[in-house]
Amino acid sequence: MYTVGILTVSDTASGDATKDSSGPLLAELLPSSSYNVMQRAIVPDELEAIQSKVKEWADSLELNLVLLTGGTGFAPRDTTPEAIEPLLTRPTPGLTHLILAKSVAITPMAALSRPVTGIRHKTLIVTFPGSPKACRENLDALLPVLPHGLDLLLDNKSKAGHHHHHRHNHEHAKPRKNHHAEESHHCVHHHRHDTVSAPLGTDVPRRKRTSPYEAIPMDEAERRVAEAAKPLSVIENAKLEPDLAGHVLANDVYAREPVPAYRASIVDGYAVQGNIKPGIYRVAPDAALATSSTQKSPAKDMDGQVIVRIATGGLVPNGYDAVIMVEDTKLIEASQDGKQEIRVELLCGAESGQYIREVGSDCQVGECVGYAGQAITSVGGELGVLASVGIQRVAVYRKPRVGVLSTGDEVVDPHGAETLTLGQIRDSNRITLLSAIQTAGYTAVDLGIAQDNAHAIGHQMRSALDKVDVLITTGGVSMGEADYIKPIVEHTLGATIRFGRIWMKPGKPTTFAVMPSTGQLLFGLPGNPASAIVTFYLFVLPALRKMAGYTYYQNTEILVKLADSVSLDTRPEYHRVRVSADLVAHSTGGQRSSRIMSLHQANGLLKLPSRTTNQSRLEAGTQVPCILIGPLNPV
């Protein structure tokens, strides 16, 4: 699935989104089975606005494909080519020629378009004209070659040769009698799932002495999880309420009402006519006496203009077009009971429009106030904006339900026996993971503890899949006599294991699988507490965010300075640390995968590189990437 951003460049549409017909058309024409339109926006024909949005999508969000429509003609405001060309790291003249050739074959007027195509890092950028007809013609020309080009760009070697000629067959294809066969990318897909784990019931002496699963690199494991994690179904008419925090918008949202909906005062003071001079003026007892909706000018008394006392956010009466702050006035006369102002001296003048918020000055009707893929955060700003413009219901993605199952004969519930017998351990994994899931804003389902019995574990896992979108187990994924999770996942549940080992520390035996019929995700995390928690944050949490619809679902990563030197391992290591507000990282001590104390007050995971012959440690003061898993600690 390729991630896509569609940017409409139009002065007109940026003021009225309903005028944009090309952007929605491009989103509709892209096959949804292969392209996920994660970002859509409209900007005016301004070079900086175009560049800012494209750089955000390519550099921060790392979208695979960015399509722009509009601004490619000869008009003075058509600056899209000039905005895009400086951003490209590599041009793609073949694609530009392909687009022009298709269009010119239909109409010679297409020669007046100035398309630009090219690559920025790992993002392909293509510009189209603003006309819906031209967009359709250009995209039709591009679609046949686009998947192959994107796979080459993204280094998807296993897929890059599969796009010129697909033959889905269960039989072997005959080789082509052509020494150029490699260039033709002719291939056959064999849809067969080979299990790797030993069948359940295999006697211990007959099992393999080494894991049959390749230890894949960390980035490949992350890629496979992200590829399998799909956004869940959409709740179409979710009521705008506080508990929407943590959900992600499924559609763009546009303002139904202007903000403000009336001419409002910015300060406490007096409403006056513009260009008023300093002096003494009579004060209307209330706005209704000063003016009415039918009056075209303010009421006056024998002394001239009447001014009106007004509060911050108050309605500016008809005929009044400025406000003077109360601090710039002086009371001259009050009523005998002291409750009403009769006359006030204005110590300064006012220009028309002073201290007034005009209708729609904050937000206009039709303005985009929320985009598909945008999170409604607990900060509250998104809910406030939506409420202010008359939005009462929105479409949001459903959040995943996550089940947690501990395994092991030796594992005892934390609230179980008062005293442990020899060989028993308290179940710290389950309570920790359930807490982390709930804190992240997802529904956590406690599935208890399963004893080391393959039939019992399989039954509990199958039952759990009726209740959850994601199933987490801890323990039973390594090479032990009672490590049943991998064969249960493959042979009992029929799931496809995407990986069974990762070249990392801690968490090497971490297992990830997908239920082929439902897309449910299964994470077999190691039983050692530090391994289970670290791998939860590295793999499970990003998957949950992606399933919830987040556009940016990856972990937050910052650079920190080491407080002390650290030794490097042969594997890339995720070292638990406490990061202070001044971005200094202090180790939590011993990093054994069984030592849960290494996570006590930890809020970061250092990303340490593998040891090499030239480097076996990092000295204090070295800057190291760190994944934040909690708020920064005070200095």
Side-chain angles (χ1 to χ4, degrees):
M1 183 74 73
Y2 308 110
T3 55
V4 184
I6 298 176
L7 182 63
T8 299
V9 180
S10 167
D11 288 333
T12 303
S14 65
D16 182 359
T18 62
K19 303 295 185 183
D20 177 22
S21 54
S22 296
L25 176 66
L26 287 173
E28 180 184 342
L29 293 176
L30 285 170
S32 59
S33 59
S34 301
Y35 299 90
N36 182 11
V37 180
M38 303 184 71
Q39 294 290 326
R40 283 173 55 185
I42 305 172
V43 297
D45 289 283
E46 294 175 2
L47 188 140
E48 288 186 359
I50 299 169
Q51 289 185 332
S52 174
K53 187 58 67 176
V54 171
K55 286 193 286 187
E56 175 193 347
W57 289 356
D59 300 352
S60 299
L61 302 184
E62 297 181 347
L63 298 184
N64 306 146
L65 175 65
V66 171
L67 303 179
L68 297 93
T69 170
T72 61
F74 282 16
R77 293 280 292 171
D78 288 340
T79 59
T80 299
E82 287 72 27
I84 296 303
E85 284 178 339
L87 303 183
L88 301 179
T89 53
R90 288 188 290 166
T92 53
L95 295 183
T96 306
H97 176 76
L98 179 65
I99 290 172
L100 272 176
K102 176 66 180 281
S103 296
V104 171
I106 297 172
T107 171
M109 299 300 290
L112 300 180
S113 178
R114 301 184 299 130
V116 172
T117 68
I119 294 166
R120 179 177 175 83
H121 310 312
K122 288 290 187 180
T123 302
L124 178 61
I125 302 172
V126 181
T127 67
F128 293 146
S131 154
K133 178 176 178 294
C135 282
R136 184 184 295 272
E137 293 167 358
N138 285 189
L139 189 59
D140 284 348
L142 202 61
L143 278 177
V145 301
L146 200 51
H148 185 58
L150 288 172
D151 284 335
L152 291 171
L153 175 61
L154 301 174
D155 201 23
N156 292 339
K157 296 177 182 177
S158 62
K159 294 171 63 180
H162 291 192
H163 294 292
H164 282 286
H165 186 88
H166 288 270
R167 285 179 54 194
H168 297 276
N169 200 318
H170 291 278
E171 297 178 358
H172 290 279
K174 294 180 180 179
R176 296 181 61 172
K177 297 179 181 179
N178 187 331
H179 68 283
H180 294 296
E182 186 177 43
E183 296 180 10
S184 72
H185 301 279
H186 180 87
C187 66
V188 177
H189 296 269
H190 300 281
H191 300 284
R192 182 169 61 91
H193 169 53
D194 292 324
T195 59
V196 176
S197 59
L200 287 167
T202 302
D203 294 330
V204 173
R206 295 178 179 274
R207 297 181 191 175
K208 295 181 180 179
R209 313 303 289 182
T210 58
S211 174
Y213 295 91
E214 175 192 3
I216 64 174
M218 182 68 188
D219 58 351
E220 176 62 16
E222 291 174 323
R223 187 194 68 77
R224 294 184 190 183
V225 172
E227 182 181 63
K230 310 292 186 188
L232 298 177
S233 57
V234 173
I235 304 170
E236 290 292 349
N237 289 294
K239 189 175 181 181
L240 197 69
E241 293 182 323
D243 61 6
L244 272 187
H247 281 85
V248 176
L249 293 174
N251 298 320
D252 294 344
V253 181
Y254 299 95
R256 297 177 62 247
E257 301 168 356
V259 178
Y262 58 87
R263 296 169 66 244
S265 175
I266 295 175
V267 296
D268 295 322
Y270 297 86
V272 302
Q273 282 187 291
N275 301 316
I276 195 171
K277 300 287 192 274
I280 297 174
Y281 295 86
R282 188 170 296 277
V283 180
D286 57 54
L289 296 179
T291 185
S292 71
S293 60
T294 59
Q295 290 177 322
K296 295 183 179 179
S297 61
K300 298 181 180 179
D301 68 1
M302 56 185 298
D303 296 329
Q305 184 184 157
V306 173
I307 63 177
V308 182
R309 186 67 185 252
I310 192 169
T312 300
L315 172 68
V316 177
N318 287 346
Y320 289 74
D321 58 0
V323 176
I324 291 179
M325 291 195 303
V326 69
E327 292 89 341
D328 293 327
T329 67
K330 179 180 175 183
L331 178 65
I332 300 299
E333 180 183 355
S335 62
Q336 289 186 351
D337 61 7
K339 294 182 178 181
Q340 296 286 339
E341 297 175 331
I342 303 298
R343 291 191 302 157
V344 164
E345 181 180 1
L346 303 182
L347 303 179
C348 63
E351 296 182 356
S352 179
Q354 175 177 295
Y355 294 130
I356 291 179
R357 295 163 60 215
E358 295 294 341
V359 173
S361 58
D362 289 353
C363 182
Q364 297 180 356
V365 173
E367 185 173 338
C368 185
V369 291
Y371 58 86
Q374 177 183 353
I376 301 173
T377 68
S378 58
V379 173
E382 295 80 16
L383 287 171
V385 168
L386 294 172
S388 72
V389 297
I391 303 300
Q392 297 177 347
R393 293 183 178 274
V394 291
V396 295
Y397 289 103
R398 182 171 65 84
K399 293 198 288 187
R401 290 172 56 85
V402 190
V404 180
L405 175 67
S406 291
T407 67
D409 289 339
E410 75 282 12
V411 180
V412 178
D413 191 274
H415 302 290
E418 288 289 334
T419 305
L420 296 179
T421 61
L422 188 63
Q424 290 184 323
I425 58 173
R426 302 281 183 190
D427 183 5
S428 60
N429 287 346
R430 188 162 44 97
I431 191 171
T432 306
L433 291 171
L434 290 169
S435 170
I437 293 164
Q438 291 175 344
T439 301
Y442 304 107
T443 301
V445 180
D446 187 351
L447 300 173
I449 303 170
Q451 301 304 303
D452 282 327
N453 176 287
H455 176 75
I457 295 174
H459 176 75
Q460 284 187 250
M461 291 179 70
R462 188 180 294 281
S463 176
L465 289 172
D466 292 332
K467 310 171 189 175
V468 301
D469 304 291
V470 176
L471 174 57
I472 300 172
T473 62
T474 64
V477 292
S478 192
M479 297 291 292
E481 180 178 345
D483 286 342
Y484 298 126
I485 295 298
K486 285 182 173 76
I488 288 173
V489 165
E490 285 198 302
H491 301 289
T492 303
L493 302 181
T496 303
I497 292 183
R498 296 294 180 89
F499 58 76
R501 286 198 310 161
I502 311 167
W503 189 246
M504 63 176 292
K505 180 183 179 182
K508 187 177 179 181
T510 300
T511 301
F512 172 60
V514 181
M515 293 296 292
S517 58
T518 63
Q520 291 165 290
L521 306 186
L522 293 83
F523 290 91
L525 307 185
N528 277 325
S531 298
I533 308 310
V534 168
T535 52
F536 168 81
Y537 281 105
L538 294 181
F539 302 111
V540 182
L541 190 54
L544 298 182
R545 295 192 194 109
K546 193 163 187 282
M547 295 175 77
Y550 279 77
T551 300
Y552 184 80
Y553 52 84
Q554 296 89 346
N555 288 309
T556 298
E557 189 174 308
I558 61 173
L559 280 177
V560 298
K561 187 180 295 185
L562 295 180
D564 302 289
S565 62
V566 295
S567 298
L568 301 179
D569 191 81
T570 54
R571 289 173 282 165
E573 183 176 4
Y574 293 83
H575 189 110
R576 280 75 73 200
V577 291
R578 302 184 187 102
V579 182
S580 55
D582 57 357
L583 303 186
V584 175
H586 300 262
S587 174
T588 56
Q591 297 290 304
R592 285 195 310 270
S593 59
S594 59
R595 185 175 181 264
I596 195 169
M597 285 297 293
S598 69
L599 283 153
H600 183 56
Q601 292 190 318
N603 61 354
L605 304 174
L606 291 181
K607 293 179 65 175
L608 299 180
S610 303
R611 183 173 66 233
T612 66
T613 54
N614 297 324
Q615 187 177 46
S616 60
R617 63 190 298 106
L618 297 179
E619 300 301 330
T622 304
Q623 284 198 315
V624 179
C626 179
I627 294 171
L628 285 182
I629 60 174
L632 296 176
N633 294 323
V635 177

